[in-house]
Amino acid sequence: MRARLLRGVDYVSALGNLRHCQVNFTAEQVQPPEWHFDTYRQYLARERPGPPEPGGAWEIACRLVRDYEFSVPAIVRAVYDGRDPLLGRNMLLEGRFHGLRFYMGVRVTDVVDETRGGSQQVWGWTYATLEGHLERGRMSYELVKDLESGKVEFVITGFSQRSPALGPITRLGWLLFGRRTQLRFYRQCGARLRRLVQDRLTGATAAATVLHEGDLVLAPSGIHPTAGDLLTVRWHHPGI
C-alpha cells in the first residue's frame, strides 16, 4: 500500500491489505534521542467521587474514544471494519494536509480496562504503526477518572519517529511540518473530545461524527460531511 497519494483509494482493498502488514518497528529500536516521547492530558469533566457514573462523562468519553470520534477530521480520519473486536482491529488512517491524502495502516495491540493504583479508573487502547506508515511508533488513548476527586481526563501517550523509508520529498515535508502537525493534532483531539462530551452531557444535539456503509466505518466524518466525503464511503464490495 502506498503511503502517499493525491487521490482517494479503494478503502475496502486497502483495509484488507493491512492483514498482511507487520508492525514497522521493534522495541529494541525505540531509543532516545532519535524518537519523540509524548504525553498530553486534557480535562474533560468532573463526576462524583467513586466509580464512573452510569451515563456520565467517563462512560460517554469511553464510547467516543472506542469509535475514534475524538480525531480531528481535518487532519486524520480512520476507516475500519465495525465487525472486528477492538483488540487486533486494523485501521486505515487517512491523513490530510493541504489537499494531499496520506494512507497509513495501524493495528490495535492493547486494550486496558483497570483500576490503577487503587485511585484511578482507566479505559483505553493502543495502536502500533504498520509497514507503509509515514511514522514508526505507538500511541495510547486513555480515559482516566480520579476516584477521589471525580476528575475525568483524556490522556494521550506515545513514542514515534518518522519512517526511515520515506522518500526525499516526503522526508523534507515531514521535517518542515510533521512534528508541528503531530503536536497540533494532540491539542485539537483533546479539545474536540471535551466538546463532544460536554454536548452529550448537556443534551445538546450533536451531528453524527461517523459514517457507516454496511460494516465499514469512516470516523470521524466531520460535522458537515461534503458530497465527496459521502461518496468515498459508498462501498460496493463484499465484507472483508
Side-chain angles (χ1 to χ4, degrees):
M1 180 185 66
R2 290 175 61 88
R4 185 181 73 256
L5 294 172
L6 291 175
R7 291 188 286 177
V9 298
D10 180 337
Y11 285 142
V12 172
S13 297
L15 184 60
N17 289 338
L18 295 183
R19 292 176 296 178
H20 309 295
C21 293
Q22 302 298 315
V23 172
N24 63 354
F25 66 94
T26 65
E28 292 74 20
Q29 293 172 326
V30 183
Q31 300 289 337
E34 291 82 6
W35 293 68
H36 296 292
F37 296 83
D38 298 314
T39 299
Y40 177 82
R41 308 181 74 93
Q42 172 67 59
Y43 170 82
L44 299 178
R46 191 176 297 274
E47 298 184 344
R48 292 186 296 270
E53 300 175 14
W58 192 81
E59 286 193 357
I60 291 170
C62 285
R63 290 194 294 271
L64 293 167
V65 171
R66 178 198 63 200
D67 295 337
Y68 204 67
E69 294 190 48
F70 61 85
S71 185
V72 182
I75 302 177
V76 177
R77 305 185 188 194
V79 177
Y80 60 87
D81 189 332
R83 298 168 298 180
D84 292 338
L86 180 57
L87 183 59
R89 173 188 290 171
N90 290 325
M91 301 172 62
L92 179 69
L93 303 186
E94 181 184 76
R96 297 180 164 214
F97 184 76
H98 292 287
L100 297 174
R101 300 290 185 266
F102 301 85
Y103 294 93
M104 306 160 287
V106 298
R107 179 171 299 137
V108 178
T109 56
D110 187 44
V111 176
V112 61
D113 184 2
E114 64 184 15
T115 301
R116 188 174 293 168
S119 62
Q120 295 181 328
Q121 188 67 39
V122 182
W123 184 90
W125 51 274
T126 299
Y127 72 59
T129 55
L130 301 179
E131 295 165 333
H133 200 292
L134 294 176
E135 297 180 79
R136 302 196 297 177
R138 189 172 67 198
M139 296 299 304
S140 295
Y141 302 105
E142 295 183 340
L143 281 310
V144 180
K145 177 176 181 180
D146 186 291
L147 300 178
E148 296 179 357
S149 69
K151 181 173 66 174
V152 179
E153 289 186 304
F154 180 42
V155 182
I156 301 174
T157 57
F159 53 81
S160 64
Q161 68 167 193
R162 75 174 188 271
S163 170
L166 295 183
I169 295 177
T170 310
R171 187 182 305 116
L172 176 61
W174 181 263
L175 289 172
L176 293 175
F177 304 107
R179 181 62 174 163
R180 187 189 316 169
T181 301
Q182 186 179 44
L183 296 175
R184 179 164 58 93
F185 179 70
Y186 298 156
R187 294 192 300 270
Q188 292 189 6
C189 282
R192 174 182 168 85
L193 182 60
R194 180 177 183 180
R195 184 174 65 253
L196 291 173
V197 169
Q198 292 297 327
D199 284 348
R200 283 155 176 76
L201 285 173
T202 59
T205 302
T209 54
V210 297
L211 291 175
H212 295 260
E213 181 71 20
D215 296 304
L216 295 190
V217 180
L218 172 66
S221 66
I223 302 302
H224 298 292
T226 67
D229 292 328
L230 293 172
L231 288 173
T232 59
V233 294
R234 296 195 185 283
W235 297 283
H236 300 288
H237 301 266
I240 298 173

